[in-house]
Amino acid sequence: VCPRDLFALLRNHFAPDGNATTGLRETFHRFDDDGDGALTRARLRDFVKTAIPDATPRELRHFEHLSVGDGDAPVTLNVLREALRGAQRAFKASKIRAAAVDPRAPAMPDRVRDRAAEVIAPLEGVLIRLKKALDAADETPREIFDRFDVDEDEHVTEPELKAIVKSLVPTFTADEIRMAMAHVFEHGAEARARFDEDGVELPPAPDGAVAWLAFNDAVRAMNKVVT
């Protein structure tokens, strides 16, 4: 199951009237225990759970990696605000593009279809650059995936996926990295059973990890034309 759009849920929680600034700022400062203007990663998760009490560990990790990134650096209010905006744009663009290139997907509502090209344009630019990098690489996509799959379990973690993206296009901005990762996450939404050489079903993917099949689907989807 694909993680929910926590970014939209946060926006709706803090801004039922469309303006999230006040509620976000006040709640942020309530979790800033030492008053230094930044939240530790643990307090950031507590902050999200205040707005979305049923957020799962996987959704929290997905949210964290797509917004403020991996690591343990504290998060300031300005960084969080900009990250939320960028992450939500990436999440929305990946959803709309995946539906636009899938002939099995239900028709988009008129209001979504009318703005689809505008919403996904930044993502299309990111995917064009990624595809050029993959085409020019000395390794196949499978070889690249295996190089970053350090424990050889047929999955890459979210930090490993970010490392793949940055290795392919080192000049990507933080927002462009979010776009690329959101595209891959979107194509990993459907769980697939995996089997070993003897036909025995393997355990499910670790929370937040991306399987080779999902990664390969995302690579192939770069070639699909948005209609």
Side-chain angles (χ1 to χ4, degrees):
V1 179
C2 187
R4 293 171 294 171
D5 184 353
L6 295 197
F7 315 104
L9 294 175
L10 281 171
R11 180 197 63 209
N12 293 337
H13 175 84
F14 289 116
D17 61 352
N19 184 354
T21 302
T22 301
L24 182 67
R25 181 175 60 244
E26 290 176 350
T27 307
F28 183 95
H29 289 314
R30 181 152 52 88
F31 282 86
D32 181 11
D33 297 326
D34 56 10
D36 68 348
L39 301 185
T40 65
R41 292 307 176 93
R43 291 304 274 163
L44 175 64
R45 296 180 199 110
D46 292 339
F47 167 85
V48 175
K49 293 277 282 186
T50 294
I52 312 168
D54 62 342
T56 66
R58 181 190 178 195
E59 287 176 327
L60 288 171
R61 281 194 293 272
H62 182 80
F63 166 85
E64 193 170 335
H65 282 290
L66 202 53
S67 57
V68 295
D70 52 302
D72 56 5
V75 180
T76 66
L77 178 59
N78 285 339
V79 166
L80 178 61
R81 186 181 289 127
E82 290 303 313
L84 288 176
R85 289 171 181 160
Q88 189 174 9
R89 286 192 295 266
F91 193 98
K92 182 185 295 185
S94 66
K95 286 277 185 190
I96 293 176
R97 187 185 190 278
V101 300
D102 185 354
R104 303 166 300 172
M108 297 181 195
D110 289 344
R111 60 183 178 81
V112 175
R113 186 178 61 251
D114 291 345
R115 293 194 62 235
E118 175 188 348
V119 171
I120 67 176
L123 174 58
E124 286 293 335
V126 165
L127 297 184
I128 288 171
R129 291 168 68 189
L130 267 179
K131 186 178 183 304
K132 286 182 178 178
L134 284 167
D135 290 345
D138 294 331
E139 298 172 297
T140 65
R142 178 74 214 216
E143 289 169 338
I144 294 171
F145 183 93
D146 287 345
R147 176 158 54 87
F148 286 87
D149 177 18
V150 293
D151 56 4
E152 300 181 349
D153 70 343
E154 292 284 311
H155 294 84
V156 290
T157 63
E158 291 178 352
E160 289 168 345
L161 174 61
K162 184 176 182 179
I164 290 176
V165 172
K166 291 176 71 173
S167 74
L168 288 168
V169 188
T171 57
F172 268 167
T173 65
D175 273 351
E176 289 168 335
I177 291 171
R178 291 185 188 108
M179 287 279 179
M181 293 180 68
H183 172 77
V184 176
F185 290 147
E186 183 61 31
H187 287 273
E190 296 183 4
R192 300 190 184 193
R194 298 182 303 117
F195 301 88
D196 65 17
E197 294 176 353
D198 298 320
V200 177
E201 186 172 350
L202 298 170
D207 279 350
V210 175
W212 158 246
L213 289 174
F215 183 83
N216 193 43
D217 282 351
V219 170
R220 291 188 297 182
M222 294 178 192
N223 296 314
K224 295 183 178 178
V225 178
V226 177
T227 56

